[in-house]
Amino acid sequence: MGTPNGDVRKKEEEEEAKLMEQEYQDKKEEEEEEEEDPNAVWRFRISEPLKETLKGKGIESLFPIQAITFDTILDGSDLVGRARTGQGKTLAFVLPILESLINGIAKASRKTGYRRPPSVLVLLPTRELASQVHSDFELYGGAVGLTSCCLYGGAPYQSQEIKLKRGVDIVVGTPGRIKDHIERENIDLSQLRFRVLDEADEMLRMGFVEDVELILGKVENISKVQTLLFSATLPDWVKHIAAKFLKPDKKTADLVGNTKMKASTNVRHIVLPCTTSARSRLIPDIIRCYSSGGRTIIFTETKESASQLAGFLPGARALHGDIQQAQREVTLSGFRSGKFMTLVATNVAARGLDINDVQLIIQCEPPRDVEAYIHRSGRTGRAGNSGVAVMLYDPRRSSISKIERESGVKFEHISAPQPHDIAKAIGREAAEMINQVSDSVIPAFKSTAEELLKNSGLSVVDLLAKALAKAVGYTEMKKRSLLTSMENHVTLLLEIGKPIFTATFAYGVLRRFLAEEKVEAVKGLTLTAEGSGVVFDVPAEDLDTYLAGKDKASSVRLEVLTALPRLQEKDQSRGGRFGSGGPRRGGFGDRSVGSRFLGGRGGSGRNVRFSSDRFSNNGGIGRGRGIRSGKRW
Ligand SMILES: Nc1ncnc2c1ncn2[C@@H]1O[C@H](COP(=O)(O)OP(=O)(O)OP(=O)(O)O)[C@@H](O)[C@H]1O
């Protein structure tokens, strides 16, 4: 018979053996997987220090765009590369460029030593993006002894000049500042071996075409330089321009191609009808329900609305072009490090930014072009993770169908989160908070808890539900309408048994059975998509009056909605359907809190949307020139 101590030891030994067996199996599986993986890092001509650095970043296998383009770039071809957002386009050029410089064909001709001119130039449209890509070159280039520097506007010239004078291998920057350095004769681009245009379409669209041409034209021997062009979106006009910069035998790696879906497939794409004035009330609840406790980026159309919304939302900060560069950097690094969880930005943050744990994107209104939608929504769902992109739209002012058609996204339609949705979402947070409280507090609170339970007359579960609500500060359940998201309003559907073509006609029907003041109290009247009725909001306290009134009019059906039907959008209205004929106060856009700001473009702004901005999507390269200085974001 074994002693109790002997039994314990035996059990421990058995457990240990089991663990070792498990570890062995896991390792074997991993090795087998690696061996099967055609994109495993070891299969590529990547030198040891780079492999180690990749491993340090948890990268064991290349993403498709990286795997497909690696040999082509390393072997010396010019290349146009396209893959959806968050698919690793940055490393797709960083790795083969570095490898070429240290072991490949660029090695022999690259300049070395003090005061050497750069061998690589990477151009990007925004400062934040330049800084992000530069940090990849610092990390991976640093591992193989190559130096880099980042040149962008808003930062002092001196430190940039010192680095350039000493000599660097890789220059990353925005076209404006690089052009300035050329004019100041600080930089010699004649010996470049690589030129990269990242987010090429945006850079060319922004009115940088001439700057880009001037910069790229500084190369002495064009046959010795490789040019690479990358983006998630490559409209045809970019391809024409590309032909100018890239060699005729350039290769193309287009992982999006003619597939219908151009936006990220890892993202839930959602649309939600919302008036301008309701945005500020609605956004905190959308964050509660859809951010899964992670980071949120909110996009506005203008710098003013970004600042105003950030001021309104607790714990949010703004990022846009009018903010001083130093502050922009502080804001972005605070967001990256989790000091605050909501960033309100203009399109300055739409492209390329790769920030960990961004779970939710909110677009306050549909952007002007499909590319902006694709890039904005692509700030989430990166590197195989999932995410949610919610786009707000006012059906009477904007249309989502163009974006839906051109991006290939099939939008999920939802209405404003209701109290039970919010409670469900934040209840989980509260439960987690309570789970984290140490059991050691129980004895101290136990007698009060018992007393509370006894005196409350509630069940344990009901009382706990109240405690959860209190823990997250959600003690008042406010009902809000489905249409305009107004508190204490309900959404009604009016039908008359035949099609309703205009708002004017619908108001006429309402006047048949309601007093003028009740017609005036109607909010947000909008035609339904299939044209058989209209929806609108009314104050909850007057609901009975509205419902009773309809009995006076024959064939009128009035129904309280629990879910919003598809609404008719501006595009389908063929003009004049909305708003006319109704009482002025009855339209969308009440004057409550928040309607002063977050306005973005008003109704009239829509009509001039392509008149003078650089977002023109009609193929006009360089049309935006001159607008750069006064750009909206
Ligand atoms: N092979 C890989 N394995 C795992 N993660 C990777 C790999 N390659 C890149 N990543 C990570 O994927 C994320 C997205 O990469 P990157 O920013 O290059 O995407 P992108 O395609 O340029 O996106 P966008 O079009 O939005 O600019 C980054 O966090 C990056 O570190």
Side-chain angles (χ1 to χ4, degrees):
M1 212 171 99
T3 60
N5 272 350
D7 285 348
V8 169
R9 204 169 308 125
K10 198 165 166 221
K11 217 168 164 203
E12 279 174 358
E13 278 168 7
E14 277 169 13
E15 302 246 303
E16 208 170 300
K18 254 195 228 158
L19 264 176
M20 278 166 67
E21 169 67 15
Q22 188 60 45
E23 266 174 29
Y24 171 77
Q25 288 300 345
D26 287 350
K27 200 152 182 249
K28 211 169 130 201
E29 267 171 36
E30 230 171 69
E31 278 168 7
E32 277 168 8
E33 249 172 48
E34 225 176 62
E35 238 152 64
E36 278 167 22
D37 179 2
N39 294 345
V41 168
W42 63 264
R43 291 185 191 272
F44 293 84
R45 289 172 281 163
I46 297 177
S47 49
E48 221 33 65
L50 285 181
K51 271 192 200 145
E52 278 306 308
T53 316
L54 285 167
K55 201 168 174 195
K57 282 287 193 182
I59 298 178
E60 307 268 352
S61 175
L62 295 193
F63 280 166
I65 186 71
Q66 299 160 353
I68 287 169
T69 58
F70 187 85
D71 286 339
T72 311
I73 300 176
L74 188 56
D75 292 339
S77 289
D78 282 9
L79 180 117
V80 176
R82 181 186 184 198
R84 290 191 184 83
T85 52
Q87 305 273 294
K89 291 184 288 297
T90 314
L91 283 187
F93 59 82
V94 170
L95 294 176
I97 286 179
L98 295 176
E99 206 51 56
S100 177
L101 293 174
I102 55 168
N103 289 319
I105 49 177
K107 184 179 177 186
S109 58
R110 99 172 152 87
K111 300 289 169 202
T112 52
Y114 190 64
R115 288 181 175 272
R116 64 193 175 282
S119 301
V120 181
L121 172 70
V122 184
L123 292 177
L124 297 121
T126 67
R127 299 162 182 184
E128 283 72 18
L129 206 42
S131 161
Q132 182 179 295
V133 170
H134 173 244
S135 62
D136 270 350
F137 272 110
E138 282 274 282
L139 177 72
Y140 294 98
V144 291
L146 297 174
T147 58
S148 53
C149 76
C150 191
L151 310 177
Y152 54 72
Y157 278 92
Q158 207 190 6
S159 61
Q160 298 180 353
E161 275 167 10
I162 293 171
K163 281 189 189 145
L164 290 171
K165 293 245 149 76
R166 275 193 206 137
V168 288
D169 302 298
I170 299 142
V171 167
V172 183
T174 51
R177 178 57 67 98
I178 290 179
K179 188 178 155 216
D180 290 348
H181 279 295
I182 292 174
E183 281 162 4
R184 291 168 176 231
E185 297 186 350
N186 291 333
I187 189 168
D188 169 11
L189 298 177
S190 65
Q191 302 303 313
L192 287 180
R193 293 294 163 261
F194 286 96
R195 312 181 293 189
V196 183
L197 302 180
D198 196 6
E199 307 290 347
D201 54 329
E202 181 67 355
M203 213 151 37
L204 300 174
R205 191 204 298 271
M206 276 170 79
F208 282 134
V209 176
E210 287 165 28
D211 292 356
V212 170
E213 268 185 83
L214 179 136
I215 294 166
L216 299 191
K218 294 289 167 192
V219 175
E220 200 174 81
N221 184 346
I222 219 74
S223 69
K224 280 198 181 158
V225 69
Q226 256 178 277
T227 309
L228 313 174
L229 191 147
F230 279 90
S231 182
T233 47
L234 287 171
D236 282 340
W237 56 264
V238 170
K239 293 179 191 151
H240 296 310
I241 293 243
K244 214 168 164 183
F245 301 132
L246 279 72
K247 298 189 192 90
D249 62 351
K250 66 177 184 300
K251 305 281 187 283
T252 299
D254 188 347
L255 299 195
V256 183
N258 291 329
T259 51
K260 194 166 180 295
M261 178 65 162
K262 313 276 190 241
S264 171
T265 48
N266 292 348
V267 174
R268 232 179 113 186
H269 297 271
I270 297 177
V271 286
L272 197 168
C274 173
T275 61
T276 306
S277 59
R279 279 182 205 159
S280 53
R281 290 192 294 272
L282 202 55
I283 285 174
D285 289 341
I286 297 174
I287 295 176
R288 282 192 189 111
C289 290
Y290 293 98
S291 71
S292 311
R295 291 174 181 75
T296 298
I297 303 181
I298 303 172
F299 286 101
T300 63
E301 291 298 306
T302 66
K303 296 178 265 199
E304 295 73 34
S305 27
S307 291
Q308 285 163 345
L309 184 53
F312 180 81
L313 294 172
R317 306 271 164 81
L319 188 79
H320 58 70
D322 272 359
I323 295 172
Q324 292 265 322
Q325 185 53 32
Q327 182 55 45
R328 272 165 72 163
E329 283 164 29
V330 170
T331 300
L332 203 57
S333 82
F335 187 56
R336 277 189 200 277
S337 66
K339 277 204 184 106
F340 63 97
M341 300 298 274
T342 307
L343 184 73
V344 189
T346 55
N347 270 346
V348 78
R351 294 265 178 164
L353 285 188
D354 183 63
I355 297 166
N356 195 19
D357 196 33
V358 173
Q359 299 279 349
L360 173 65
I361 301 300
I362 301 175
Q363 304 188 48
C364 285
E365 58 189 300
R368 288 158 182 252
D369 54 45
V370 68
E371 285 84 13
Y373 180 82
I374 292 170
H375 288 278
R376 287 169 168 191
S377 58
R379 293 317 98 215
T380 185
R382 303 180 67 72
N385 296 312
S386 59
V388 178
V390 177
M391 182 164 75
L392 308 179
Y393 75 109
D394 179 339
R396 300 164 25 121
R397 290 191 173 149
S398 50
S399 157
I400 51 163
S401 36
K402 184 167 174 274
I403 288 181
E404 187 162 46
R405 209 172 43 243
E406 292 180 359
S407 65
V409 165
K410 189 88 200 84
F411 283 121
E412 203 180 307
H413 289 254
I414 61 164
S415 44
Q418 295 300 309
H420 58 269
D421 301 321
I422 299 162
K424 213 168 152 192
I426 59 175
R428 265 181 251 125
E429 264 172 55
E432 211 159 285
M433 273 160 61
I434 287 175
N435 272 335
Q436 279 167 10
V437 177
S438 156
D439 287 352
S440 64
V441 304
I442 296 174
F445 284 87
K446 199 168 179 172
S447 64
T448 318
E450 278 166 350
E451 210 175 308
L452 180 64
L453 181 62
K454 203 168 96 202
N455 297 338
S456 69
L458 295 171
S459 69
V460 177
V461 173
D462 287 356
L463 192 61
L464 207 48
K466 269 174 85 167
L468 286 172
K470 181 67 187 165
V472 283
Y474 197 68
T475 50
E476 206 187 340
M477 301 293 279
K478 284 187 187 148
K479 260 193 119 60
R480 63 153 56 101
S481 69
L482 300 172
L483 184 64
T484 63
S485 305
M486 289 181 71
E487 278 165 16
N488 304 320
H489 278 64
V490 282
T491 304
L492 297 180
L493 169 71
L494 169 83
E495 285 175 325
I496 54 166
K498 57 181 184 183
I500 299 181
F501 291 117
T502 65
T504 313
F505 180 73
Y507 279 113
V509 173
L510 290 174
R511 284 194 180 95
R512 287 199 338 236
F513 62 92
L514 290 170
E516 187 59 27
E517 81 194 66
K518 294 291 173 232
V519 178
E520 288 206 357
V522 158
K523 295 265 191 300
L525 186 135
T526 307
L527 304 183
T528 59
E530 86 293 357
S532 65
V534 289
V535 289
F536 53 88
D537 285 350
V538 298
E541 57 183 15
D542 291 341
L543 179 62
D544 289 346
T545 318
Y546 285 90
L547 295 178
K550 73 152 194 312
D551 297 336
K552 292 184 220 150
S554 63
S555 71
V556 169
R557 228 170 62 78
L558 210 50
E559 184 193 331
V560 178
L561 290 177
T562 50
L564 206 56
R566 289 289 288 272
L567 304 175
Q568 202 169 102
E569 292 171 30
K570 183 177 173 265
D571 268 1
Q572 294 159 281
S573 68
R574 279 180 234 112
R577 276 193 188 179
F578 297 109
S580 59
R584 283 174 54 178
R585 280 190 287 130
F588 264 55
D590 60 25
R591 296 189 183 95
S592 54
V593 188
S595 61
R596 276 178 297 117
F597 43 86
L598 320 182
R601 313 188 292 278
S604 64
R606 282 272 155 199
N607 301 328
V608 293
R609 62 200 255 201
F610 293 123
S611 63
S612 68
D613 62 69
R614 56 181 185 72
F615 282 97
S616 164
N617 61 354
N618 58 4
I621 300 300
R623 281 160 57 91
R625 220 176 145 67
I627 298 167
R628 219 171 97 201
S629 53
K631 63 177 186 257
R632 296 161 62 92
W633 44 269

